Amino acid sequence: MATELNLNDVYKSPNNLVDMFEQSVAKWPDRRLFGVKNPSTNQYEWISRAQVSERVNNLRGALAKLGLTKGDKVGVIVNNCVEWCVCEMATLGLGAAFVPMYEKELKKIWHYIISDAGVKFLFVRDQNIYDQIKEFKDQIPTLKDIFIIYGEGENSMAALEKMGKSNPVPSIRPHYSELAFIIYTSGTTGDPKGVMLSHGGLTLNTTAGCESFNLNEDMHVVAILPWAHVFGLTCDLHTYIHCGGAVAF
């Protein structure tokens, strides 16, 4: 006689991306997580897990104060970078879902994805992208505000992190069945299709990858694949967060 499958046995801890990240920070707070090459010295400068976590906590506090709640969507238009992960983890820590997009994309595709996903807050790389899409706030009913990652002023990511530092809120633990990401296809056969990815599915792939390839805290990777694609997201970012390794840009 077949036995009933117990999903709690399948989705073992960590079974959501918030726990996965925070467990990694707790276990290896001072170990390097991200390396950014300094163009002046041509050397990598490393940022620890604890440093990234502090930024995540600050941004989460700001987004909570602005009204981001469980079930909302946050979008980002930027290539792989430290801030991409900070936005992701701050979003997930409030029970919202993350919608990543490519920097090199048609404006109409950005508009379609932001509208289709129902994005509430949007982070963009710089003033150039902001100027291209600032009218989206008047065109897309769900979109409440747009923030510039590498910028200054009250609508910058730096200003949000400063605000959130004074308004800390604890992270929540999403259920493994809850939505974590919506990643869109290229749209070569029509409008892009949003693929809905759960916390449990993403963490299960991550933990299985670490076990299958014997990854550990001494390993480093260069992030070549975009995190707006699920292969890069899992095999670069989440896998190396979980195993204790580091990611270089």
Side-chain angles (χ1 to χ4, degrees):
M1 178 182 292
T3 57
E4 183 178 349
L5 179 64
N6 186 341
L7 291 180
N8 290 324
D9 292 333
V10 175
Y11 296 111
K12 297 178 182 179
S13 180
N15 59 21
N16 66 77
L17 294 169
V18 178
D19 273 337
M20 186 197 71
F21 175 73
E22 293 186 358
Q23 287 177 17
S24 175
V25 174
K27 188 173 183 179
W28 300 288
D30 299 322
R31 288 195 70 89
R32 55 178 59 171
L33 178 54
F34 294 128
V36 181
K37 183 173 283 189
N38 185 323
S40 300
T41 64
N42 208 35
Q43 298 295 312
Y44 277 100
E45 297 176 353
W46 293 93
I47 303 169
S48 72
R49 281 163 162 73
Q51 289 172 308
V52 175
S53 179
E54 181 180 9
R55 294 189 64 183
V56 170
N57 294 341
N58 292 342
L59 185 60
R60 184 176 65 245
L63 290 175
K65 186 174 178 62
L66 292 174
L68 187 72
T69 59
K70 190 172 183 176
D72 286 336
K73 314 296 190 305
V74 173
V76 64
I77 302 175
V78 68
N79 292 339
N80 300 355
C81 60
V82 175
E83 289 74 19
W84 197 106
C85 180
V86 171
C87 290
E88 174 204 7
M89 290 301 168
T91 298
L92 300 179
L94 292 173
F98 203 56
V99 184
M101 288 163 273
Y102 299 103
E103 283 184 28
K104 294 186 181 298
E105 187 58 272
L106 297 174
K107 180 179 175 179
K108 67 178 183 179
I109 299 297
W110 287 334
H111 189 285
Y112 177 83
I113 291 174
I114 294 164
S115 178
D116 185 68
V119 168
K120 186 172 186 177
F121 295 117
L122 177 66
F123 289 86
V124 301
R125 175 183 170 81
D126 51 28
Q127 188 70 41
N128 177 52
I129 295 179
Y130 179 84
D131 289 340
Q132 295 180 59
I133 65 168
K134 57 186 177 182
E135 69 269 20
F136 286 5
K137 285 196 292 183
D138 299 323
Q139 300 169 354
I140 301 174
T142 61
L143 185 59
K144 303 305 179 186
D145 217 336
I146 303 172
F147 303 102
I148 301 174
I149 293 173
Y150 301 119
E152 299 177 351
E154 61 182 21
N155 72 326
S156 68
M157 185 170 170
L160 284 185
E161 291 180 61
K162 183 177 180 180
M163 179 177 73
K165 190 172 185 177
S166 303
N167 298 275
V169 297
S171 58
I172 69 167
R173 299 294 185 274
H175 190 266
Y176 57 72
S177 64
E178 292 179 5
L179 181 66
F181 271 77
I182 305 177
I183 291 185
Y184 279 78
T185 63
S186 60
T188 51
T189 58
D191 291 330
K193 308 298 188 296
V195 181
M196 302 171 72
L197 303 171
S198 70
H199 279 271
L202 289 168
T203 51
L204 187 60
N205 284 338
T206 297
T207 55
C210 289
E211 293 170 4
S212 298
F213 295 99
N214 297 314
L215 302 181
N216 60 52
E217 63 268 28
D218 295 323
M219 296 183 173
H220 292 57
V221 67
V222 177
I224 297 174
L225 297 172
W227 295 343
H229 188 285
V230 70
F231 192 90
L233 177 68
T234 301
C235 295
D236 284 352
L237 178 59
H238 292 161
T239 297
Y240 281 80
I241 289 175
H242 179 64
C243 78
V247 181
F249 302 110

